[in-house]
Amino acid sequence: MYFSLKPASHILFLESHLLVYFRNFRANFSSFSQLNQNVSSFQRKFVGEVKRCEELERILAYLVQEINRADIPLPEGETSPPAPPLKQVLEMQEQLQKLEVELREVTRNKEKLRKNLLELTEYTHMLRVTKTFVRRSVEFEPTYEEFPPLENDSLLDYSCMQRLGAKLGFVSGLINQGKVEAFEKMLWRVCKGYTIVTYAELGEPLEDPETYHCHVYPYPNTAEERKEIQEGLNTRIQDLYTVLHKTEDYLRQVLCKAAESVYSHVVQVKKMKAIYHMLNMCSFDVTNKCLIAEVWCPEADLHELRRALEEGSRESGAALPSFMNTIPTKETPPTLIRTNKFTEGFQNIVDAYGVGSYREVNPALFTIITFPFLFAVMFGDFGHGFVMFLFALLLVLNENHPRLNQSQEIMRMFFNGRYILLLMGLFSVYTGLVYNDCFSKSVNLFGSGWSVAAMYSSRHSPAEQGRMALWNDSIVRHNRVLQLDPSVPGVFQGPYPLGIDPIWNLATNRLTFLNSFKMKMSVILGIIHMTFGVILGIFNHLHFRKNFNIYLVSIPELLFMLCIFGYLIFMIVYKWLVYSAETSRVAPSILIEFINMFLFPASEANGLYSGQGHVQRLLLAVTALAVPVLFLGKPLFLLWLHNGRGCLGVSRSGYTLVRKDSEEEVSLLGSQDVEEGNNRTDDGYREVMCDEFNFGEILMTQVIHSIEYCLGCISNTASYLRLWALSLAHAQLSDVLWTMLVRVGLRVDTAYGVLLLLPVVAFFAVLTIFILLVMEGLSAFLHAIRLHWVEFQNKFYVGAGTKFVPFSFRRLSSKFSDDVA
C-alpha cells in the first residue's frame, strides 16, 4: 500500500515553460515544497496575478448570484477546460469587467423602475380606497386652516377653544398592515387623542423592496383633480410596465449568454489561481532568470514528471529546455498511499486517526475485513443486514449518476462510504445466519437438531425411565415450562449445520445461553485482534531495522498477552471440546479457574485437566519474567549502545535520514551502522548526538509505554465486551419492535386483521429503518471505529506522518455552490 518517494526532485525551468507545464498538468505525481518561507505573502513574485484571479472570482461570484436570482440554470460541462494563457486571462478580465458594469447599471435601472412603479401603484390604490370614506362635493368643500409649524409654535400652546375652532384636515398614505396598531398608538400620543384614524385593507399585497415605513401621498381636493390624477397614473403605470418588461428581457438575455460560459470561466480562474499559488512557492533566480522548484515525487512517476517538463518546453517553443535533478535530503518523505474507489473509504477511517509514517505498516489493508466484521458482530441480523446490503448495492450500481455526486451532505456521506456499507451489510448477513436472527425471529433452514418426542417416557425402556427425567401426559399438562435433557438418547441429534439451532428461539433460557456464547466469542475475537496488532508491530521493527525492539518489546508483549489472555482462550475452547452434555454438570467454571490462576489455591481437585496447576505456574513465571524485560530491556540496551558502541551516522536506502526526534533514534544510529556496514559519518554531528542522549527520558518513556500496555491488555480485553453488549441490545430492540407491533397485528380478528396489518407493517418498517438500521447502525459503526483506533492500531501504528498531497487540477472543486455562496 506504500510507495517509495524520491527525496526531492530539483526542477529548474523558465517561467514560460512552467506556465505551459501547469496548464497541461493532469497527473498526481508531485508535491511542491515551500521555498519562500522567509518572504512575506505580499512580497512574492506572483502576488499581483493572485489578486487578479481573486478579482475575477469576485466578478464570477456576482454573475452566478444574479443568474441564480433570475432562475436561469447553470450548465456544468463534463470536460474540464485547460488553464488559459496570460493573454487570454487579460481578455477574460476585460470582458468580465465590462459585463459586470453593464449588469450593475441595468440592475440599478430596473430597481429604480420597480420603485417608481410601486409608488404609482400605491398612489392608485390610495385614491381608490380613500374614495369610499371621503365624500365631498364642490359646494360643501371646506377651507382648510393649517396648524402652525412645530418649529415656530407648539400645538400644545393652543387653548381648547382655539383647537375647537380650527378647521380639520387629513393626510392619506399606505403602511404595512402589521404596523397599523403601533401607528395608531403613535398618533394618539403625539396628537393627545385629538385624531381620527380610518384605514382599509388593499385588495392585493404590495411589496416594497427597500423599506416598510409609512408612505404619504397628496390627496386632491376636487373630484376633477382626482379623476385627472387617476388617468395620469394609469398611463404612467402602463408605460413603466412596458419599459420594465423590456429591461427584464434584456437583462435575462445578458444573463443567459453569461451562463453559457460562466462554468468554463470559473474552472479556468481556479486553475490559474492554483498555478500562481504554486509559482509563489518556487524560488526565483535573478541571475539566470529562471524558477527553481522542489517537489516530492514517487519513484514510479519520475518519467511522467520528465515527460510533462518536456511537453511544456516543446509547447512554449523556448530554445532552453527545462530540466530536473534528484537531490538528497535529510527530511522524512510524506506518505503516499494509492487507493481506489473501493479502498478509499477504509483508508479515510485510518487517516482520521493519523496519517501513517513513511513506510509504516498500513492498517487499512486489514481494516477492509476486520472493520465490517466487528460491525457485523454487533449488528448481526440477517434481515437488517440484507436491507443495508441492498441499499449499498443500489448506490454502487448507480455510482456514476450525477445526482448522487451532487446530493446533500448526509446522502453524499452515505455515497462516499457505499463500499463500507456494502461489506457491513454482507458481513451482517453472515453473522445473522450464525446468530439465526432475522428481524428477531429464527429461521429453520436445515431442521432442528433437537427432538421433543424423544423426551416422552413411552419411547424408552423401563430401566431408562427410572434413570432419566422423562415426560408423560401429566407432566406436559401441569407444567408451563418443560426442559429438554440432551443426555437422553435421541433428544440431541447433532449440532445445527450453520449457527444457532432455531429451537433456542422458543427456550426460556435463550437469553442466558446467547449471553454466554456472545460474551466468550467477544473475548476470543478481541484477544486475537490485539495479538494480531502486536505481530504487525514486528514488521515495522524489521523494516526500520530496529531488531532489538523485536526481542525487547514485541516478544515480551506477546508473552504477556498470550500467557494470560491467550491461556483464557485455551480454557474456553478446551471446555467446549472436552465437556459434553453428560459431563456438563461437573465442568468447572472458567471464571473461577482463571481467578485461581493468580491466587494459587491449596486445593486443585476440580481442574480442567491434569497438571493444570503446573502449567499455570509456568505461564505466570514467564509473564513475571517478561514484565521487567519490557520495562528495562530497551533503555538498558540503548544505554549500552551509547556507552560501548559510540555514536555513528547512518545512511538509509532511498533517502538520507538524520533525525533528532527521539533519544531512541540517537542511540540506534550506531547499531544500524554495524548491521549495514556503513561507517560514513560526520564527526561534528556525532558529538551533538552524543550530547543529546538522555537515559532518564528514555527510561521514563519506556516505563510509561509498558504500564500503558500491561494495563491496556486488561482494559482493552474488557472493551471488546462491547461486541456482546451491542449485539444483545440490537437483538432485544428488534424483539421489542416485533412483539409490540407485528405480533399484535397478527393476533387481530381476521375480519379486520388485513386492514390493520398494512399500517402496522408500514410503521414497523419505518421504525426498523430509523431505529435499528440508522441509529443502531451508527452506534455499531462508532464502536467498531473505537475498537480499531484504541484497541488495535495503538499496538503498532504511530500515525505521525505527513500525507502526500500532490498538485493536481483534479483536486479543484468544479461546483458553483462551494465557492460562490
Side-chain angles (χ1 to χ4, degrees), residues 3-296:
F3 300 86
S4 59
L5 301 179
K6 276 295 182 184
S9 297
H10 192 101
I11 304 177
L12 180 65
F13 31 30
L14 298 179
E15 181 180 338
S16 60
H17 296 188
L18 190 62
L19 288 174
V20 176
Y21 159 63
F22 273 126
R23 288 201 303 270
N24 297 276
F25 201 82
R26 291 292 184 270
N28 302 324
F29 49 73
S30 60
S31 175
F32 283 76
S33 302
Q34 177 60 264
L35 302 181
N36 297 315
Q37 296 180 355
N38 299 326
V39 181
S40 171
S41 300
F42 302 100
Q43 297 177 350
R44 294 176 183 173
K45 180 175 176 57
F46 299 97
V47 64
E49 285 76 5
V50 174
K51 291 182 178 179
R52 181 189 295 119
C53 294
E54 292 177 349
E55 176 66 16
L56 293 176
E57 284 183 337
R58 184 194 62 79
I59 297 175
L60 290 171
Y62 170 72
L63 293 179
V64 173
Q65 180 181 0
E66 294 298 321
I67 291 172
N68 290 330
R69 184 182 299 176
D71 293 330
I72 299 175
L74 283 168
E76 295 190 11
E78 299 180 356
T79 58
S80 179
L86 182 59
K87 181 179 179 181
Q88 187 176 346
V89 172
L90 297 177
E91 294 176 356
M92 182 194 306
Q93 182 182 13
E94 184 179 0
Q95 293 175 359
L96 291 177
Q97 288 176 346
K98 289 182 180 179
L99 182 60
E100 181 192 17
V101 172
E102 183 180 6
L103 282 178
R104 291 189 182 277
E105 184 177 357
V106 174
T107 304
R108 187 164 49 251
N109 294 335
K110 173 188 170 184
E111 295 301 326
K112 288 182 179 179
L113 291 174
R114 288 186 59 190
K115 183 178 179 181
N116 293 337
L117 179 62
L118 179 64
E119 292 177 352
L120 296 180
T121 305
E122 287 182 351
Y123 199 2
T124 303
H125 284 290
M126 189 272 295
L127 293 176
R128 176 178 57 80
V129 172
T130 54
K131 187 170 59 176
T132 60
F133 53 83
V134 178
R135 300 183 180 279
R136 299 173 180 175
S137 58
V138 177
E139 58 274 13
F140 296 107
E141 191 72 27
T143 58
Y144 294 99
E145 178 179 335
E146 296 292 340
F147 290 112
L150 293 179
E151 57 271 15
N152 298 329
D153 194 5
S154 175
L155 279 172
L156 300 179
D157 296 336
Y158 271 42
S159 62
C160 294
M161 293 304 298
Q162 287 175 324
R163 290 199 191 100
L164 291 176
K167 303 296 182 180
L168 297 179
F170 72 93
V171 178
S172 59
L174 280 82
I175 193 174
N176 184 275
Q177 186 176 357
K179 297 186 177 182
V180 171
E181 184 177 355
F183 183 66
E184 288 189 54
K185 290 181 180 179
M186 182 190 68
L187 291 179
W188 178 269
R189 293 170 181 173
V190 171
C191 300
K192 297 297 183 179
Y194 294 96
T195 179
I196 300 174
V197 180
T198 304
Y199 61 89
E201 296 184 8
L202 299 181
E204 60 180 278
L206 299 178
E207 179 183 358
D208 190 349
E210 293 184 357
T211 179
Y212 287 101
H213 293 173
C214 179
H215 294 170
V216 180
Y217 299 96
Y219 191 84
N221 295 326
T222 62
E224 289 78 6
E225 291 180 359
R226 288 196 297 270
K227 183 178 180 181
E228 182 180 354
I229 292 176
Q230 187 72 40
E231 292 176 354
L233 289 175
N234 293 335
T235 302
R236 292 179 60 188
I237 289 174
Q238 196 67 27
D239 295 340
L240 283 177
Y241 268 121
T242 303
V243 176
L244 185 60
H245 285 322
K246 290 183 178 180
T247 304
E248 290 178 347
D249 292 341
Y250 175 74
L251 180 61
R252 188 172 184 83
Q253 291 177 2
V254 174
L255 292 176
C256 288
K257 186 177 180 180
E260 296 176 356
S261 59
V262 69
Y263 171 79
S264 60
H265 289 338
V266 168
V267 175
Q268 288 177 330
V269 171
K270 286 181 180 180
K271 289 185 176 181
M272 289 303 301
K273 187 177 180 181
I275 289 173
Y276 287 118
H277 272 301
M278 290 299 105
L279 292 179
N280 279 332
M281 298 175 67
C282 301
S283 175
F284 183 69
D285 191 341
V286 182
T287 305
N288 298 322
K289 297 182 180 180
C290 61
L291 288 174
I292 302 174
E294 289 185 2
V295 302
W296 289 103

Side-chain angles (χ1 to χ4, degrees), residues 377 380 431-438 440-442 499-522 576 721 723-725 727-732 735:
V377 171
T431 55
L433 290 174
V434 173
Y435 297 158
N436 204 346
D437 260 350
C438 183
S440 79
K441 298 285 107 178
S442 296
I500 304 297
D501 196 294
I503 200 172
W504 283 102
N505 194 54
L506 305 176
T508 56
N509 61 337
R510 172 177 179 266
L511 193 58
T512 304
F513 168 74
L514 291 180
N515 280 343
S516 176
F517 166 73
K518 293 182 179 180
M519 181 175 61
K520 295 173 182 176
M521 180 192 64
S522 301
W576 282 347
L721 292 177
L723 299 175
W724 156 53
S727 176
L728 173 64
H730 185 82
Q732 291 303 301
D735 185 63

Side-chain angles (χ1 to χ4, degrees), residues 318-381:
L320 297 177
S322 302
F323 59 90
M324 178 188 69
N325 291 327
T326 302
I327 59 175
T329 181
K330 299 177 182 179
E331 298 179 5
T332 303
T335 302
L336 169 63
I337 304 177
R338 300 187 191 271
T339 59
N340 51 37
K341 60 184 180 182
F342 178 77
T343 61
E344 183 180 6
F346 298 97
Q347 187 63 53
N348 290 335
I349 292 177
V350 175
D351 290 344
Y353 175 84
V355 178
S357 303
Y358 185 65
R359 297 283 187 164
E360 187 180 15
V361 171
N362 183 18
L365 178 63
F366 316 103
T367 303
I368 296 175
I369 300 299
T370 59
F371 182 83
F373 177 72
L374 292 183
F375 170 86
V377 171
M378 296 179 281
F379 195 75
D381 189 287

